[in-house]
Amino acid sequence: MNQPTLETKRLILRPFSLADAHDVQRLAGAWAIADTTTGIPHPYPEGAAEVWIREHPRLFAEGREVTFAIVRKSDGALIGSIGLVNISPGHQAELGYWVGEPFWGQGYCTEAAWAVLDYAFGTLGLARVYARHFRRNPASGRVMQKLGMTHEGCLRRHVVKWGKLEDLELYGILREEWRPVARP
Ligand SMILES: CC(C)(COP(=O)(O)OP(=O)(O)OC[C@H]1O[C@@H](n2cnc3c(N)ncnc32)[C@H](O)[C@@H]1OP(=O)(O)O)[C@@H](O)C(=O)NCCC(=O)NCCS
């Protein structure tokens, strides 16, 4: 099965293609994106976007991860990335995302995440989706709250970032708590 494309009012969520690599490097290469994520290198190495994009079909085919390019309908601009990692079929997955700095604060991440939760509970039939953010990144926490996720706890000093120990806030949502009809 090929990875589907999802649609919201303002956004298309589609698989990445190699033609996106330049935009990924430009947007994800910003310090502000690396600063509050765990897997994005900084400086962003030449060619790393291509390597990352090339991995997606295999990870999707193996049922381990699904990654969507977030594209704005109005002008076709690639504005970010969103997806599910650590997928445990029939059980749960972790939601992760970044949106390029020029596009922050317009509700794009929340809108994209609604579609991905719909996909997780509807298409994949998962029972739970969780997400984690650095304590010092309240904007991401706000996205999780707007999605109706429940704050489940704090993983204290759980990761090392830029050589410092960081607390992670953990949010989760169960299938029976998901209300797609309440989509904004
Ligand atoms: C986190 C991120 C994805 C949010 O994307 P976005 O498209 O701006 O998100 P939205 O517009 O849907 O929602 C952001 C919310 O955070 C709020 N917010 C922004 N800065 C905030 C702050 N410092 N404190 C509290 N809330 C804040 C916004 O006001 C908005 O809430 P509102 O709609 O109630 O006003 C984006 O900032 C980003 O990519 N950051 C870097 C990478 C990252 O941190 N990824 C997540 C890792 S867990």
Side-chain angles (χ1 to χ4, degrees):
M1 188 184 68
N2 286 332
Q3 181 177 330
T5 290
L6 313 178
E7 189 174 351
T8 70
K9 192 164 168 237
R10 294 178 295 169
L11 306 170
I12 298 284
L13 272 56
R14 59 153 173 79
F16 276 94
S17 80
L18 287 176
D20 299 314
H22 180 74
D23 285 337
V24 169
Q25 173 145 14
R26 180 174 51 84
L27 295 172
W31 179 86
I33 301 293
D35 183 44
T36 51
T37 49
T38 48
I40 299 180
H42 191 82
Y44 201 92
E46 198 63 44
E50 282 88 349
V51 171
W52 179 68
I53 291 167
R54 276 188 215 279
E55 285 177 347
H56 293 172
R58 177 180 56 83
L59 291 167
F60 178 79
E62 291 173 1
R64 292 163 57 192
E65 294 186 10
V66 57
T67 306
F68 296 97
I70 309 173
V71 175
R72 187 160 62 183
K73 279 184 189 172
S74 62
D75 58 0
L78 177 80
I79 65 168
S81 172
I82 190 162
L84 300 167
V85 298
N86 300 323
I87 298 174
S88 172
H91 181 201
Q92 64 177 352
E94 177 168 7
L95 174 69
Y97 42 72
W98 57 263
V99 167
E101 218 174 340
F103 308 103
W104 287 5
Q106 298 173 64
Y108 289 139
C109 185
T110 308
E111 186 171 323
W114 272 86
V116 173
L117 285 183
D118 226 16
Y119 173 78
F121 291 122
T123 306
L124 297 185
L126 299 182
R128 174 178 186 261
V129 174
Y130 64 97
R132 302 181 289 180
H133 71 86
F134 288 172
R135 173 172 275 182
R136 62 180 171 80
N137 184 17
S140 184
R142 183 74 194 117
V143 169
M144 295 170 197
Q145 290 158 14
K146 288 194 290 180
L147 292 167
M149 300 180 87
T150 297
H151 183 239
E152 296 181 338
C154 177
L155 306 171
R156 296 176 300 162
R157 299 185 194 168
H158 194 68
V159 289
V160 180
K161 181 71 191 189
W162 307 134
K164 278 182 63 183
L165 295 168
E166 295 270 1
D167 293 347
L168 286 188
E169 301 292 348
L170 172 67
Y171 281 75
I173 184 165
L174 307 180
R175 182 166 48 211
E176 59 269 32
E177 295 166 347
W178 175 238
R179 301 273 183 276
V181 285
R183 185 191 295 265

